[in-house]
Amino acid sequence: MMMLIAAMMLTASTISAQSSENNQQARPDRTEMIKSRTDRVVKQLGLNDTQAKQLLDLNTAFADKLPGMGGRGMARGGQRGGRNNDSQAPRERPSREQMEARMKEMQANMEAYNVELKKILTEEQYAKYQEAQKQRMQRRGQGGPRQNNNFGNIVNGNNNSSETE
C-alpha cells in the first residue's frame, strides 16, 4: 500500500514539474516577441537590413506602450489580461473614465508609433502596412455581438422587441 501511495506521489510531482516546464516554454520572452513581430513585418513589407534594424529599435521602444508588442502594453501587472501572477485575487474593473483615459493613451502611442514608422518605410511600404492594419481591424470587428438579437438592439438603442433571433 505504501509503495502505491509513493508511486502516485512521484507520478503527480513529475506531471506537475512537466506542466510547469511546458508553460514556461510556451511563453516567449519579451525580446523574442518583439523580434518575432519585427521579422513578420520585415517579411510582409519587404524591408531592407537598415529598415529592419530601425523597425526593431522602434518596436523595442514602444513595446511597453502598445499591446501586442511583446511588453506589458496597456495591461496592469505585465500579464495578459492585466493580472499579476503574485495575486490571484480578482481585480477591480476600471471605471469608464479610466478606460477612456487608457484608450486615449493607447491611441496617442499608436499615432506616435505610426509617425516614427512612416519615417522608416517607403510610401509603398507604408500604404501596404496601412492596408494590412485596416484588414486586421476588420477581422477583429467580426467577433462582436450579433446585431439581430434583443440585447444588441437594446445596447444600440433599438428596443424593438418584435425582432427575433
Side-chain angles (χ1 to χ4, degrees):
M1 183 70 168
M2 291 295 272
M3 291 295 284
L4 181 61
I5 293 173
M8 287 174 46
M9 289 177 63
L10 181 62
T11 302
S13 66
T14 303
I15 291 172
S16 175
Q18 288 175 347
S19 175
S20 176
E21 288 173 11
N22 288 340
N23 285 341
Q24 290 174 357
Q25 290 174 355
R27 288 188 197 147
D29 73 350
R30 177 180 188 266
T31 305
E32 289 173 2
M33 289 180 69
I34 295 168
K35 177 120 175 60
S36 174
R37 175 179 166 77
T38 302
D39 290 344
R40 188 172 54 246
V41 174
V42 166
K43 185 177 178 181
Q44 287 173 343
L45 302 180
L47 305 187
N48 62 36
D49 291 343
T50 303
Q51 288 174 311
K53 169 75 170 96
Q54 291 171 331
L55 180 62
L56 180 60
D57 292 344
L58 179 64
N59 286 346
T60 301
F62 276 84
D64 288 334
K65 298 176 184 174
L66 295 173
M69 284 286 220
R72 67 177 191 84
M74 298 302 291
R76 286 190 313 194
Q79 300 298 318
R80 173 168 266 174
R83 292 205 182 242
N84 188 338
N85 279 347
D86 296 339
S87 171
Q88 294 299 322
R91 64 185 174 116
E92 281 187 39
R93 181 181 174 133
S95 70
R96 182 180 196 105
E97 292 80 22
Q98 289 171 324
M99 290 176 68
E100 288 173 358
R102 286 183 188 172
M103 195 63 162
K104 284 181 183 178
E105 180 184 355
M106 191 169 59
Q107 287 172 341
N109 287 333
M110 193 67 204
E111 288 173 14
Y113 176 83
N114 284 333
V115 165
E116 295 301 315
L117 182 63
K118 197 170 188 177
K119 294 176 185 177
I120 296 170
L121 304 179
T122 65
E123 285 184 32
E124 296 82 18
Q125 290 169 331
Y126 191 72
K128 192 174 180 181
Y129 166 78
Q130 285 181 311
E131 181 60 31
Q133 289 295 98
K134 182 179 172 184
Q135 290 176 359
R136 183 173 153 255
M137 292 306 285
Q138 287 174 344
R139 282 194 306 267
R140 286 181 67 196
Q142 291 177 353
R146 296 183 317 221
Q147 292 300 313
N148 65 343
N149 66 17
N150 287 335
F151 178 76
N153 289 329
I154 292 168
V155 168
N156 292 321
N158 303 328
N159 192 3
N160 207 357
S161 59
S162 63
E163 292 182 8
T164 58
E165 289 189 1

